[in-house]
Amino acid sequence: MNPLAVVTGASSGIGRAFAIELATRGYDLILVARSEAKLGELAEGIHAESGVNVTVHAADLTKKKSLNTLLRYLKDKPISLLINNAGVATIGAFCERKPARLEEEILLNINAVVQLTRAALPGMVLRNEGQVINIASSAAFQPTAYFSNYAASKAHILSLTLALNDEVGDSGVFLQAVCPGPVETGFEDYAADGQLSAPRALFIKPETVVKQSLSDLSKRKEVSIPALHHRLVLRAGRLLPTSVSRLAMRFSGKQLFD
Ligand SMILES: NC(=O)c1ccc[n+]([C@@H]2O[C@H](COP(=O)([O-])OP(=O)(O)OC[C@H]3O[C@@H](n4cnc5c(N)ncnc54)[C@H](OP(=O)(O)O)[C@@H]3O)[C@@H](O)[C@H]2O)c1
């Protein structure tokens, strides 16, 4: 029997790349996102290519009913790998962001991750095997003006991931937080309503994120930062006193958004 992986946000970007890569590694897949047609097309392609079983589960993870239906569907499934990838961002001045968008960010980036992890982890601990990959962000490491709610949501995920390793690590279950900088997906357009374009040189491909994450997972690295230039930017940031890095975020954000 193939191991089973669940991938949220599998209809595009990083989640889609995870689904394709995991199929080549022999995982059966449950793919989750709102766009059922996109998931169906992806599932057909993956099954034809690699022969693994692929199930599509369309769900809006910000909706309580939809999330609960998914949690019930996953109950008692022997999940080997859970990838909490679905996420959204709001970029721009906090006071100008729509409250509904801030709520969406919290429900998807935090609540869905917490509930899906809570659903999958007990079974993994019982079986003494299982892995969870949580897609955080390089923004998780510091307060980030004009990206405030998003960075805070990803800080939550980073902290949760590390703390859970301390709780369940003895059972053999392992969690990883993936913390990329900019990645070439549709993510940024929605985040800034098409108003922002980060320097293209900073961007990496979703496949790079996936390969590095899985390679780091095999070495039990609990934080995966996928590209050398993203690692260097983060290290340089950490050398600065927090007050200086916060000032830098404040002024660069102000220039971009005010
Ligand atoms: N791209 C970057 O620069 C970057 C950098 C660091 C971290 N990240 C993180 O990487 C993760 C994946 O983002 P991406 O860059 O691959 O963006 P993306 O291409 O926009 O993918 C986002 C995925 O989340 C799904 N999704 C959005 N809202 C949903 C909802 N309410 N319920 C269920 N699924 C939902 C989308 O599918 P549907 O629309 O079909 O629902 C899509 O499959 C996110 O957690 C993001 O924070 C991205």
Side-chain angles (χ1 to χ4, degrees), residues 7-16 31-34 39 61 83 85-87:
V7 185
T8 71
S11 63
S12 65
I14 298 169
R16 186 175 192 279
L31 306 180
V32 182
R34 289 167 304 182
L39 289 179
L61 300 177
I83 304 196
N85 162 76

Side-chain angles (χ1 to χ4, degrees), residues 8-16 32-36 38-39 59-63 84-89 104 108-109 135-138 150 154 178-188 190 203 206:
T8 71
S11 63
S12 65
I14 298 169
R16 186 175 192 279
V32 182
R34 289 167 304 182
S35 315
E36 193 164 10
K38 273 199 206 170
L39 289 179
D60 183 338
L61 300 177
T62 65
K63 302 271 188 290
N84 284 309
N85 162 76
V88 285
E104 177 191 21
L108 187 61
N109 298 8
I135 311 301
S137 163
S138 57
Y150 177 74
K154 295 301 187 179
V178 178
C179 299
V183 185
E184 282 172 17
T185 67
F187 171 81
E188 194 189 66
Y190 181 70
F203 280 76

Side-chain angles (χ1 to χ4, degrees), residues 13-234:
I14 298 169
R16 186 175 192 279
F18 260 114
I20 292 169
E21 180 62 31
L22 291 173
T24 69
R25 296 176 186 223
Y27 281 86
D28 286 340
L29 297 168
I30 297 174
L31 306 180
V32 182
R34 289 167 304 182
S35 315
E36 193 164 10
K38 273 199 206 170
L39 289 179
E41 207 175 297
L42 177 65
E44 262 179 41
I46 287 178
H47 180 68
E49 187 72 28
S50 57
V52 298
N53 296 311
V54 190
T55 308
V56 161
H57 186 102
D60 183 338
L61 300 177
T62 65
K63 302 271 188 290
K64 199 169 184 169
K65 200 170 159 203
S66 188
L67 176 60
N68 283 341
T69 306
L70 174 63
L71 295 175
R72 273 196 305 278
Y73 172 70
L74 294 179
K75 200 170 180 311
D76 301 328
K77 295 229 172 354
I79 302 167
S80 291
L81 177 58
L82 167 65
I83 304 196
N84 284 309
N85 162 76
V88 285
T90 51
I91 307 180
F94 181 81
C95 293
E96 289 164 18
R97 296 289 91 189
K98 290 201 172 80
R101 286 283 294 269
L102 298 171
E103 187 180 28
E104 177 191 21
E105 211 167 27
I106 290 170
L107 290 172
L108 187 61
N109 298 8
I110 300 179
N111 187 53
V113 176
V114 170
Q115 298 306 334
L116 281 162
T117 305
R118 173 64 184 82
L121 220 49
M124 290 181 176
V125 171
L126 214 60
R127 294 190 302 276
N128 291 309
E129 71 93 23
Q131 294 165 322
V132 179
I133 296 177
N134 290 327
I135 311 301
S137 163
S138 57
F141 295 101
Q142 69 282 312
T144 309
Y146 300 92
F147 217 15
S148 54
N149 195 44
Y150 177 74
S153 75
K154 295 301 187 179
H156 183 119
I157 294 313
L158 176 60
S159 175
L160 177 79
T161 305
L162 304 188
L164 290 180
N165 266 334
D166 295 338
E167 283 191 33
V168 304
D170 288 345
S171 68
V173 175
F174 188 71
L175 297 93
Q176 180 191 70
V178 178
C179 299
V183 185
E184 282 172 17
T185 67
F187 171 81
E188 194 189 66
D189 291 340
Y190 181 70
D193 300 323
Q195 296 302 302
L196 173 76
S197 191
R200 300 323 290 174
L202 286 178
F203 280 76
I204 58 172
K205 297 205 172 307
E207 291 76 14
T208 308
V209 177
V210 169
K211 292 238 161 79
Q212 189 65 48
S213 159
L214 294 174
S215 160
D216 286 343
L217 193 69
S218 69
K219 296 175 199 142
R220 292 177 78 80
K221 252 180 124 174
E222 62 181 353
V223 177
S224 176
I225 302 168
L228 180 64
H229 61 289
H230 291 179
R231 285 195 286 278
L232 291 176
V233 169
L234 278 171

